[in-house]
Amino acid sequence: MTYELSETPEAERGTSASARPSPRLRWNKVPEVTAYFWIIKVLCTTVGETAADLLNEKAGLGLTGVSVLMSALLAVVLVVQFRTTAYRAGVYWLAVALISVVGTLISDNLTDNMGVPLETSTAVFALLLVVVFVVWYRRERTLSIHSIDTMSRESFYWLAVLFTFALGTAAGDLVSERMDLGYRLSAVLFALAIAAVAVAHFTLGLNAVWSFWIAYILTRPLGASIGDYLSQPTGDGGLGFGTVVTSGLFLAVILGLVVYLAMTRKDVADPARVTRQTA
């Protein structure tokens, strides 16, 4: 069923002004899920891993100081994101890149500063993500990113994204380090898992919304494994490129793709043609 993002659903008509949810925007606040989306997402997760390591090593602020600084920067960018009335490629992907770094730092703080086992942090983040999804769905009746058109839905969306990054970091570290699979094998494993989700969606009819979120979670440890494989010393199973080179290279590619999308608007959908997907 096609719909305009600005129209009022039947269930909301006839309610009092105080009972109505946030007014709908004409435009969705997130990009269309295209090949560009997944490429930039994986690149952002890689940068989140390597940039977090780089800042922790070079900034001289310590893990806690870097976490506070990056969280403050993320808060500023999210304020800008929430104030936009439509999807803006530069603002949106800057928020994703920063939330990738912050999600990594949250997991690292729990592991390195607080001594929380990776098994525990993985389970906790998974539970928190489930809670976000349950509350989101009970309030909005959909988890689809094709309908991020109110402040409420956008708030749930970014909260879910944060927990996917934290969960992916903890799960990725658990697989690659605690299970001693190594970075390269871990990357292959997560890539195969994403491929399995795609096959289940396109051939077995797995729900589109859940296919998206499962793949979204799995791209985090995939990107982290790629980043660690490229940046870590050869003695630790990496290629030894270092965090500076790896972060700089991936940031340059992200910047090029985002500028291209901002100019061409290839990932912006006409709201009159958006198909609503519900869980």
Side-chain angles (χ1 to χ4, degrees):
M1 180 181 70
T2 59
Y3 76 116
E4 291 282 353
L5 296 180
S6 57
E7 70 180 8
T8 303
E10 293 293 335
E12 294 171 16
R13 292 174 185 160
T15 58
S16 65
S18 61
R20 288 175 188 158
S22 304
R24 296 190 181 283
L25 301 172
R26 183 170 181 269
W27 297 96
N28 199 25
K29 295 289 293 292
V30 302
E32 280 292 279
V33 181
T34 64
Y36 295 109
F37 178 94
W38 292 115
I39 292 171
I40 299 175
K41 170 61 166 61
V42 172
L43 293 174
C44 284
T45 62
T46 302
V47 168
E49 182 72 16
T50 58
D53 292 342
L54 174 63
L55 291 169
N56 190 31
E57 295 168 3
K58 306 294 185 181
L61 299 176
L63 189 57
T64 301
V66 170
S67 300
V68 172
L69 173 62
M70 298 309 296
S71 296
L73 289 175
L74 174 61
V76 172
V77 174
L78 283 178
V79 168
V80 176
Q81 166 66 22
F82 273 87
R83 288 185 175 181
T84 63
T85 57
Y87 163 66
R88 299 287 182 265
V91 178
Y92 174 86
W93 286 112
L94 178 58
V96 172
L98 287 173
I99 212 167
S100 176
V101 176
V102 171
T104 300
L105 291 170
I106 291 173
S107 180
D108 289 346
N109 268 288
L110 289 174
T111 302
D112 298 338
N113 284 350
M114 301 180 184
V116 177
L118 286 169
E119 296 85 352
T120 301
S121 58
T122 299
V124 169
F125 288 134
L127 177 61
L128 289 173
L129 184 58
V130 169
V131 170
V132 171
F133 282 146
V134 169
V135 176
W136 181 358
Y137 185 76
R138 290 190 64 179
R139 179 181 174 89
E140 303 293 340
R141 310 311 299 175
T142 180
L143 301 178
S144 173
I145 69 163
H146 294 284
S147 55
I148 308 301
D149 53 5
T150 69
M151 181 173 290
S152 173
R153 291 180 178 184
E154 190 172 14
S155 298
F156 282 120
Y157 173 79
W158 287 110
L159 191 59
V161 168
L162 175 62
F163 285 132
T164 62
F165 277 111
L167 171 60
T169 300
D173 289 345
L174 179 63
V175 170
S176 63
E177 298 176 11
R178 293 296 177 83
M179 296 183 180
D180 200 27
L181 295 181
Y183 303 122
R184 182 170 59 181
L185 183 56
S186 296
V188 172
L189 177 65
F190 288 117
L192 289 174
I194 293 171
V197 173
V199 170
H201 171 58
F202 289 111
T203 65
L204 301 178
L206 180 63
N207 179 275
V209 173
W210 289 114
S211 298
F212 169 82
W213 282 112
I214 294 170
Y216 199 92
I217 293 169
L218 289 172
T219 54
R220 176 62 185 91
L222 171 64
S225 297
I226 293 173
D228 284 335
Y229 179 61
L230 293 173
S231 64
Q232 294 303 309
T234 55
D236 294 333
L239 294 180
F241 291 155
T243 54
V244 175
V245 173
T246 304
S247 298
L249 175 63
F250 279 76
L251 280 172
V253 177
I254 291 171
L255 179 60
L257 288 174
V258 171
V259 169
Y260 172 75
L261 291 175
M263 294 176 63
T264 62
R265 298 178 63 82
K266 284 183 175 292
D267 59 343
V268 179
D270 181 344
R273 294 185 295 103
V274 174
T275 299
R276 192 170 206 168
Q277 298 183 30
T278 56

